[in-house]
Amino acid sequence: MSIFEYNGSALVAMVGKNCFAIASDRRLGVQLQTVATDFQRIFKIHGKLFIGLSGLASDAQTLYQRLVFRHKLYELREERDMKPETFASLVSAILYEKRFGPYFIQPVIAGLGDEDKPFICTMDSIGAKELAKDFVVAGTASESLYGACESMFKPDMEAEELFETISQALLSSVDRDCLSGWGGHVYLVTPTEVTERILKGRMD
Amino acid sequence: MSELAGTIPGKGGFSFDLCKRNDMLASKGLKPPSFLKTGTTIVGLIFQDGVILGADTRATEGPIVADKNCEKIHYMAPNIYCCGAGTAADTEAVTDMVSSQLKLHRYHTGRESRVVTALTLLKSHLFSYQGHVSAALVLGGVDVTGPHLHTIYPHGSTDTLPFATMGSGSLAAMAIFESKYCEGLTRDEGVKLVAEAICSGIFNDLGSGSNVDICVITKGKQEYLRNYLLPNPRTYVSEKGYTFSKKTEVLFTKITPLRELVEVIEVGDAMEE
């Protein structure tokens, strides 16, 4: 069994018209036993920047604490929030530093950059950045998510349509993965507001 | 305080503090993750005025295509570019690092960078990590001494060649080069040959795919032709797209407004000089 399949996770982020959505499942397990059904995988760095961390849950929480620490130092020095591209480079550098003893994490970063242009990217566990213009996926359900997103995604979707698409892609993919599921958690971010929704899914 | 010191940005370089824990997990049967690799076909050739580099654009994670349009031709200096194959994080990190070192060197010497400088910096870094930094590179550029093309292997050995291919698709691309290369090619002939070699890798090697990127470097000028050829367009998209008649059931919604309106109240007679 791979280390990524120890806790199970599913993460997806999609770009819309001047908005983005990032979604995750809610299960925390220890191999095949479920331990929690309300586990937080997507974390806010600042109002317009979110990071989702899939993989080993303890590394996800440790890495999140380290990133929040570095972002707070940056905010104190620069007196402004970090841009998503800069944050992605920071995460990549922190992960590559541990090249020969890595964190077992696959992050998904989503944010609104200059002029509220949406930015998404994902990385492997040693920080190889993968920028995409449409969607990025991570976690144990990633193979199903690739297929679902590839067919359901349309460019330039408005916020409500984007929410519907990302929710359908997430729920249909986690239904085909034993290790993720138990509902969904979706953050939809536009330049004026952040909408956090919890989805009802199959509890098996 | 000693734990905090580990998290504050230090002198740089690798940190090995999670190795013991990872070995313990591996011994308990939990396999380490696979890294993003760039299966790849990368090529370079020298033509009459300079160097042409070419690469495909597929990045794989095991058998899955993780990125359909990644960039494998990395910038090193205005007159030097480098294609990378192997573990994606290693090629990106090593080319970024040497690119920064070259820039500092240019500020220090006040001269344009030479290809052999980049070559020596790359090979000494890769050799010192004994092949564990898995980056196979094709380095090409034009400097005061003329056009140069080199290949660098993950263990640190290098070759200087008139035409070179690396990556899983290297045999397919080398077949094209060996049959059609000659010295003194013109720019158009060179670009056509490089595009043909990369296409041969894209269509015959499973680790390479998607589009062709080309970079033409001549004295004083470089042209980065991103997505020069798109031989694999997505033709099966349905125009209607998906519409979901039954909406997703939502259990809980929370809306947080982002822009906070700050009300400025003008108070008269405040702090008059």
Side-chain angles (χ1 to χ4, degrees):
Chain A
M1 189 185 240
S2 153
I3 189 68
F4 276 114
E5 288 162 19
Y6 189 75
N7 291 127
S9 51
L11 270 176
V12 55
M14 271 192 196
V15 163
K17 201 176 166 82
N18 289 338
C19 61
F20 69 85
I22 181 169
S24 75
D25 71 318
R26 307 190 78 207
R27 175 184 180 270
L28 174 72
V30 169
Q31 291 182 324
L32 293 174
Q33 179 176 50
T34 305
V35 165
T37 58
D38 58 357
F39 190 64
Q40 175 92 340
R41 277 201 175 89
I42 299 176
F43 303 101
K44 185 178 91 154
I45 301 289
H46 64 75
K48 292 181 183 177
L49 180 58
F50 286 78
I51 182 168
L53 295 165
S54 72
L56 192 63
S58 41
D59 277 353
Q61 291 182 334
T62 307
L63 191 67
Y64 165 64
Q65 287 163 7
R66 298 231 158 130
L67 290 171
V68 153
F69 172 66
R70 296 289 293 266
H71 181 254
K72 282 185 179 168
L73 276 180
Y74 183 91
E75 259 194 86
L76 286 169
R77 287 198 185 110
E78 302 265 327
E79 294 176 7
R80 64 178 176 88
D81 287 330
M82 223 187 228
K83 282 192 224 161
E85 294 85 356
T86 318
F87 185 69
S89 297
L90 171 69
V91 178
S92 175
I94 288 179
L95 292 175
Y96 192 71
E97 201 186 8
K98 304 252 185 277
R99 162 69 171 89
F100 298 115
Y103 285 114
F104 297 125
I105 285 293
Q106 229 189 326
V108 165
I109 296 166
L112 289 176
D114 285 333
E115 281 135 42
D116 292 331
K117 187 163 177 299
F119 170 88
I120 50 170
C121 91
T122 184
M123 282 168 222
D124 69 347
S125 56
I126 46 174
K129 262 187 288 190
E130 223 180 275
L131 309 166
K133 295 198 170 72
D134 40 17
F135 58 86
V136 291
V137 303
T140 48
S142 61
E143 291 177 24
S144 319
L145 276 165
Y146 274 125
C149 291
E150 193 71 61
S151 44
M152 294 183 193
F153 180 80
K154 282 195 304 263
D156 284 333
M157 282 187 279
E158 293 295 338
E160 281 312 309
E161 204 193 341
L162 180 68
F163 165 72
E164 201 52 50
T165 310
I166 200 178
S167 311
Q168 292 282 350
L170 179 75
L171 291 176
S172 48
S173 307
V174 302
D175 281 352
R176 282 286 184 175
D177 178 32
C178 316
L179 298 166
S180 46
W182 268 267
H185 203 150
V186 184
Y187 287 84
L188 179 65
V189 180
T190 63
T192 48
E193 60 181 18
V194 172
T195 311
E196 182 192 335
R197 289 192 182 98
I198 296 191
L199 307 172
K200 179 175 171 176
R202 282 172 62 143
M203 305 299 261
D204 63 351
Chain B
M1 276 312 278
S2 57
E3 309 117 50
L4 272 183
T7 54
I8 289 166
K11 290 197 301 263
F14 293 122
S15 110
F16 296 94
D17 49 353
L18 291 178
C19 287
K20 214 166 164 185
R21 172 202 77 155
N22 292 1
D23 285 340
M24 180 273 290
L25 286 169
S27 68
K28 296 230 160 112
L30 289 164
K31 286 188 308 177
S34 67
F35 304 137
L36 193 75
K37 285 192 164 292
T38 52
T40 297
T41 307
I42 48 176
V43 307
L45 63 70
I46 295 189
F47 71 110
Q48 67 187 22
D49 302 321
V51 172
I52 305 179
L53 298 173
D56 73 306
T57 59
R58 172 183 282 183
T60 53
E61 199 156 7
I64 307 286
V65 175
D67 195 349
K68 291 188 282 189
N69 205 359
C70 71
E71 281 185 32
K72 297 187 192 178
I73 304 185
H74 307 283
Y75 167 89
M76 300 286 271
N79 57 328
I80 307 174
Y81 276 74
C82 185
C83 307
T87 303
D90 287 333
T91 56
E92 274 176 40
V94 99
T95 49
D96 275 347
M97 183 190 80
V98 171
S99 171
S100 310
Q101 287 178 346
L102 284 177
K103 183 138 202 184
L104 286 170
H105 193 249
R106 279 203 293 285
Y107 282 137
H108 197 70
T109 57
R111 292 187 173 88
E112 190 187 57
S113 299
R114 299 194 188 191
V115 183
V116 286
T117 317
L119 180 72
T120 311
L121 289 168
L122 285 164
K123 75 191 303 191
S124 41
H125 179 81
L126 291 174
F127 179 72
S128 64
Y129 285 97
Q130 288 290 290
H132 289 288
V133 174
S134 170
L137 309 165
V138 169
L139 176 72
V142 177
D143 56 30
V144 286
T145 48
H148 298 273
L149 181 67
H150 305 280
T151 52
I152 307 166
Y153 290 83
H155 286 261
S157 61
T158 59
D159 286 317
T160 307
L161 298 161
F163 58 94
T165 66
M166 293 279 263
S168 55
S170 61
L171 271 64
M174 189 52 99
I176 302 289
F177 274 175
E178 284 288 4
S179 47
K180 297 189 182 169
Y181 180 82
C182 53
E183 283 188 16
L185 290 165
T186 63
R187 182 194 179 280
D188 292 330
E189 285 170 356
V191 167
K192 188 159 160 292
L193 184 58
V194 164
E196 220 184 310
I198 299 288
C199 282
S200 148
I202 286 175
F203 293 121
N204 298 97
D205 174 41
L206 299 178
S208 317
S210 296
N211 315 314
V212 179
D213 281 351
I214 291 193
C215 186
V216 182
I217 310 171
T218 51
K219 193 159 180 68
K221 194 172 96 138
Q222 29 84 308
E223 279 173 79
Y224 185 28
L225 304 162
R226 169 87 169 131
N227 287 359
Y228 173 75
L229 268 184
L230 289 101
N232 295 301
R234 207 162 157 240
T235 48
Y236 52 86
V237 189
S238 90
E239 277 151 29
K240 279 185 305 179
Y242 274 85
T243 45
F244 304 105
S245 50
K246 189 157 183 240
K247 301 241 166 263
T248 338
E249 270 191 72
V250 176
L251 290 171
F252 166 85
T253 309
K254 178 170 144 198
I255 302 180
T256 322
L258 275 181
R259 236 168 248 161
E260 281 163 19
L261 295 168
V262 178
E263 281 194 37
V264 179
I265 305 163
E266 286 285 323
V267 179
D269 285 358
M271 300 276 279
E272 296 213 4
E273 307 278 330

